[in-house]
Amino acid sequence: MALSLNKVQLIGYVGGDPTTHVATSGTAITNFSLATGESWTDKNTGKRQERTEWHRVTCFGKIAEIIAQYAKKGSRIYVEGKNRTREWTDDQGIKRYTTEVVVDLSGQAIVLDPRGEGSDGVDARAQSQYESYMQNTSQDKATSSDGTHATETEPSFDDDIPF
């Protein structure tokens, strides 16, 4: 398969308080809707136009726990993840689809300014907690199961470039 990229970056506002549950594996899963918007001036009428796009977001693991703790309806959040479309059959036998932004270890979600929290440093605490988690995760990846540091070998693409 050819090299491809599935990456989504959004900054928007949480549409409702996030909901969290724990999978049977013990992993936290947090879901919320995220509103992003754009505005422009209509060239024909000169009137200001606006459009809101709604995104489903699903976070996993420690990121899900942090978002559940600090995000509320109206919070501004930065989300980085990947698009994933799920398919299922409903009770009436109709195939349904939904596309969501999945935030797992390869992504991130950061509360930029929690609604109603003022300037008491809540977003700074969330950011600090997230950075600490990411630092520990990268250290875990660099350590093998026997406690020694593993050497990561990345593929070299230099030979594949035709120019």
Side-chain angles (χ1 to χ4, degrees):
M1 182 167 145
L3 184 62
S4 63
L5 176 67
N6 179 356
K7 184 174 184 175
V8 177
Q9 293 178 310
L10 301 169
I11 296 177
Y13 294 90
V14 177
D17 289 341
T19 59
T20 301
H21 66 278
V22 179
T24 54
S25 65
T27 302
I29 303 170
T30 298
N31 297 296
F32 60 94
S33 59
L34 187 71
T36 57
E38 61 180 311
S39 61
W40 68 95
T41 302
D42 186 300
K43 292 180 182 178
N44 297 328
T45 65
K47 291 185 180 179
R48 195 85 181 134
Q49 301 290 321
E50 292 184 4
R51 178 182 6 230
T52 301
E53 188 72 34
W54 287 95
H55 312 271
R56 293 176 175 265
V57 181
T58 302
C59 301
F60 292 91
K62 188 66 174 177
I63 295 171
E65 294 171 15
I66 293 169
I67 291 300
Q69 183 177 358
Y70 293 104
K72 306 275 185 267
K73 178 180 180 179
S75 295
R76 199 170 76 141
I77 293 185
Y78 167 78
V79 171
E80 183 177 307
K82 55 191 166 199
N83 267 337
R84 182 171 296 152
T85 300
R86 292 186 290 123
E87 172 186 328
W88 73 95
T89 304
D90 69 9
D91 295 339
Q92 289 79 33
I94 300 171
K95 273 192 176 180
R96 302 284 183 176
Y97 300 89
T98 188
T99 300
E100 60 196 345
V101 177
V102 174
V103 181
D104 55 16
L105 287 177
S106 64
Q108 57 182 322
I110 301 170
V111 179
L112 299 174
D113 58 347
R115 179 68 80 182
E117 297 292 347
S119 60
D120 66 356
V122 170
D123 55 343
R125 286 194 307 269
Q127 178 66 25
S128 173
Q129 187 176 8
Y130 177 79
E131 287 171 357
S132 172
Y133 164 71
M134 291 306 289
Q135 182 178 16
N136 290 338
T137 301
S138 65
Q139 287 174 354
D140 289 346
K141 288 179 183 176
T143 304
S144 65
S145 60
D146 63 359
T148 61
H149 288 287
T151 57
E152 294 184 24
T153 58
E154 294 186 17
S156 173
F157 297 106
D158 292 340
D159 296 335
D160 296 338
I161 300 173
F163 51 89

